Amino acid sequence: MATGKYSRVDGRKSSRYCSIATIVVFVVFCLVGIWMFMSSSIVPVTNSEILALETRNEVKQIVPKGDSKQFDDTSGDLSRDETIDDGGGLPSKVSGITDEDNFTENVVTGSDNEEKESHNSAEKNQEDSLANESSDEKAESESAQKRMDEDDGNGNRNVGEINSRDGEPNVGTREAENEGGEMKKVSHKNSKESSGENGSESAESGKNYEVDETADKMKLVGKEAILTESKNDKNEDMHLEQSDVGNSVESKENNQASNEILPAGTQSENLTESTTQNGAWSTQAVESQNEKKSQQSFISNENSDLRWKLCKTTAGPDYIPCLDNWKVIRKLPSTKHYEHRERHCPDEAPTCLVPLPEGYKRSIKWPKSRDKIWYYNVPHTKLAEVKGHQNWVKVTGEYLTFPGGGTQFVNGALHYIDFIQDAVPEIAWGKRTRVILDVGCGVASFGGYLFERDVLAMSFAPKDEHEAQVQFALERGIPAILNVMGTKRLTFPSSAFDLVHCARCRVPWHNEGGKLLLELNRVLRPGGYFVWSATPVYRKGPEDVGIWQEMSRLTKSMCWDLVVVKRDKLNNIGAAIYRKPTSNDCYKKRSKNAPPLCEESDDPNAVWNVPLQACMHKVPVDSTERGSLWPAQWPVRLEQSPYWLNSQVGVYGKAAKEDFTADYNHWKAVVSQSYLKGMGIDWSSVRNVMDMKAIYGGFAAALKDLKVWVMNVVSIDSPDTLPIIYERGLLGIYHDWCESFNTYPRTYDVLHADHLFSSIKKRCNLVTVIAEVDRILRPEGKLIIRDNSETISEVESMVKSLQWEIRMIYSKDNEGLLCVRKTFWRPTEEEPIKNAIV
């Protein structure tokens, strides 16, 4: 300020106008230089993009109300230095510029008032200098804006496409709510107002705070959070606490929010077999660059020509590729062993979409769905006409209703369930007996009512003249699968089920040396029960008597103990209950080796397309072998590692028991902190869930408190962990995802795929897998994918082409999470599937 006073004193001497003018000009330039120096010290070069936006008046302020938090995608990403608030509603650098501008203007004005004669000269020089400064600032602003535009064109292209498709406006000022109305709380807390000086101090603490973050990009689509990590953050509208305590709290909260999606530390060790063992995590720069390249390559090479069509088949809306391959079925030399009901997958899996039944509606929620479903969802009446008198199913207006009966329990399943336990109290539903197999299940009312006893039933039946029986079961929310006792082993491990049930299941158990009953012996746990409720047990006709005699000889030679034969007077039926032996003593005492024991080289767990054999496997007796001991009672068995996991190395490289525990803890954290809170999924509307790549069943176990059931699928090219899943009291099946699954279309509410697609695309076309996902997922159902970023990008592109809604997307260090919702959209163009047309 001394220079300013000196210029004003000299200005009083009228004889030195030229010198004064020169000095004034010099002072102006000095002040401008000082202002520019101070501005550069306040505004980092990296923030030039925001300065440009502020110069162009494009800054929009969002101030969260109260304690609420919300996402903001109005101005893109949020960089570390741009989160600082000076308390005046704009970043501190804006206040700095404004103060410097005002200071310079005040000095020049004072000089003008005292030196009227030098006014014109000084003003001219000032305007020239300001014009030059404005020109430089404008050029810098335009350059920054251009860079931002380029970033938006690349980094935010996908979300832009989604918003454009859905017709959604910019949702930066909108609250992010999930379907249950709960707001996703991931954004920063609102800060208190402070001066520019305090804002500068906050800036320093803010930088320290941001070091612990990974700079997540957050967006909204259809009121759902889309979280995508990016290194170029540009959101200047977020607020921070001013104190170090506040920053520490926020850092903890934000780190927790990040961990909810992809848990860090010990939890992240169980994300995938490949990444957890080598610990190779790429940088954000490499990830972003690779993701953009892979996405552009994928879109240009494959999805640019991806045009979905409707499958035109004889089965129509009920098309099942591996069960409706009429080209192969017509050429079968024999159907004696139900070969025509077995899987015959086409050489090339279809890439078309199955049409919806006319009038299809969103499925009725459980538990109401157990008693009634929408008629137009499964518009088949034949079973109601044939089995209505047995209380299987009836047509009631716009509903199909299920009175809870069956051929053997016309008066209701619950009475029949209690009848079985009264006959053999040791069965102990929901305690000793947890997982059972229901053969020839019909509409699966038996399994549906066993939920009230804490029992899971794997119900199965073939796709036969009992029209859509398994489809009825699945639409009701009851576990069921299409399968047949034919020429191949069932796709379950040995010694899996605590009990096997057959109520008039129409299976000729005694034929061909008892081959089919011996298959049940394979999957039945030693000490488990076989409940046979059929006419040969209680009727005395010649055919029934003959079958009973054959069954008696067969079961005796198999060393099964006939525990009881009991009559149910209410339903006028009877049941014979057998128990499988727990030792090999009986086998050694048999006078004839018939049926024979299987060869030692025969693996009882090898089941994928393995032919049936009329032999029995020995019962394991070593206490370290699976099957030698009965599992702990439910629900203890769910969380307890199996006793036979000893010296094995687990899937993730640790000791098996440690692996098991770590996997369970990981999925409990992910489900509770992310899936139940942050996905926007209304779990009250979810019933049928599938884990497409289950390892130890940890995901299913973590859902134990919800009213859902989970089909755990173990891929044939994955470690064989399905026996562990059954040991825990959960259901599962083997499958090859290069082929279609044995279920009807539109049967699952949620599909979960943890690092499945990146592995499966090495063996088969990923488009066919996505087409299969579309087939089995219900409209408005959710697909949750955890995989590497490249695969996430590929799947994201494909589901967009299916007009699905992106509910959440998140990536971090080349690992990603994607949650999408299927819509009711169907293409109009048809594609005839020649092998599926009769």
Side-chain angles (χ1 to χ4, degrees), residues 135 141 172 180 227 229 281 303 312 426-427 467 482 503 522 524 586 592-593 643 653 662 712 716 734 763 766 789 797:
S135 176
S141 173
L227 309 178
E229 189 174 55
W281 301 97
N303 281 349
K312 185 178 181 181
E426 290 79 8
I427 287 177
E467 189 180 43
L482 285 162
R522 183 187 69 83
L524 181 61
C586 176
K592 294 182 180 180
N593 189 31
Y643 63 89
N712 293 281
I716 62 170
Y734 296 109
R763 299 194 297 113
L766 190 56
S789 296
S797 180

Side-chain angles (χ1 to χ4, degrees), residues 131-349:
N132 291 334
E133 174 198 340
S134 177
S135 176
D136 293 340
E137 182 179 349
K138 180 178 181 182
E140 181 183 10
S141 173
E142 291 176 350
S143 175
Q145 182 63 31
K146 181 178 180 181
R147 288 194 301 271
M148 290 187 70
D149 291 342
E150 290 174 352
D151 289 343
D152 289 342
N154 293 329
N156 297 337
R157 177 175 60 253
N158 290 342
V159 174
E161 291 171 359
I162 301 169
N163 289 340
S164 175
R165 185 193 71 208
D166 292 342
E168 290 288 337
N170 194 318
V171 288
T173 60
R174 194 169 59 189
E175 289 184 350
E177 298 180 358
N178 58 24
E179 291 180 1
E182 179 180 0
M183 192 187 308
K184 176 64 178 174
K185 298 182 179 179
V186 183
S187 58
H188 300 298
K189 287 185 177 180
N190 188 20
S191 62
K192 297 180 180 179
E193 294 185 357
S194 62
S195 65
E197 181 179 354
N198 290 338
S200 299
E201 294 176 359
S202 177
E204 294 301 320
S205 63
K207 290 178 182 178
N208 295 332
Y209 161 77
E210 291 290 349
V211 167
D212 296 331
E213 289 193 333
T214 56
D216 295 338
K217 176 172 67 180
M218 303 181 180
K219 299 176 181 174
L220 288 176
V221 175
K223 294 186 180 180
E224 296 302 331
I226 298 180
L227 309 178
T228 308
E229 189 174 55
S230 169
K231 73 168 184 177
N232 295 323
D233 297 329
K234 300 182 285 293
N235 190 339
E236 69 277 19
D237 301 329
M238 305 296 285
H239 297 272
L240 296 177
E241 294 283 359
Q242 299 300 312
S243 66
D244 292 337
V245 175
N247 288 326
S248 176
V249 172
E250 291 177 50
S251 177
K252 181 179 179 181
E253 289 185 352
N254 281 273
N255 288 336
Q256 180 180 359
S258 177
N259 291 341
E260 289 176 358
I261 307 301
L262 292 177
T266 56
Q267 294 179 9
S268 65
E269 294 176 358
N270 292 288
L271 287 174
T272 175
E273 300 96 314
S274 59
T275 59
T276 53
Q277 294 184 24
N278 56 33
W281 301 97
S282 64
T283 64
Q284 179 62 27
V286 172
E287 176 206 336
S288 299
Q289 187 67 21
N290 291 341
E291 187 169 346
K292 290 177 182 178
K293 288 181 179 179
S294 65
Q295 183 176 5
Q296 292 170 356
S297 174
F298 180 79
I299 294 175
S300 60
N301 293 339
E302 184 169 359
N303 281 349
S304 59
D305 298 326
L306 189 57
R307 293 181 57 190
W308 298 101
K309 299 179 181 179
L310 281 180
C311 302
K312 185 178 181 181
T313 65
T314 300
D318 298 335
Y319 176 48
I320 306 169
C322 289
L323 297 180
D324 291 323
N325 188 356
W326 290 101
K327 181 179 179 180
V328 173
I329 293 174
R330 283 194 296 260
K331 297 180 181 178
L332 290 174
S334 172
T335 59
K336 178 181 179 182
H337 298 99
Y338 302 97
E339 291 90 345
H340 57 303
R341 308 297 186 195
E342 294 182 324
R343 291 171 60 85
H344 302 284
C345 298
D347 295 332
E348 294 185 5

Side-chain angles (χ1 to χ4, degrees), residues 29-59:
F29 274 107
C30 288
L31 292 175
V32 170
I34 293 172
W35 174 80
M36 294 180 66
F37 175 78
M38 294 180 67
S39 298
S40 64
S41 65
I42 295 175
V43 183
V45 176
T46 56
N47 290 341
S48 60
E49 294 176 7
I50 301 304
L51 177 59
L53 286 178
E54 292 159 353
T55 304
R56 299 159 71 104
N57 296 322
E58 293 179 0
V59 176

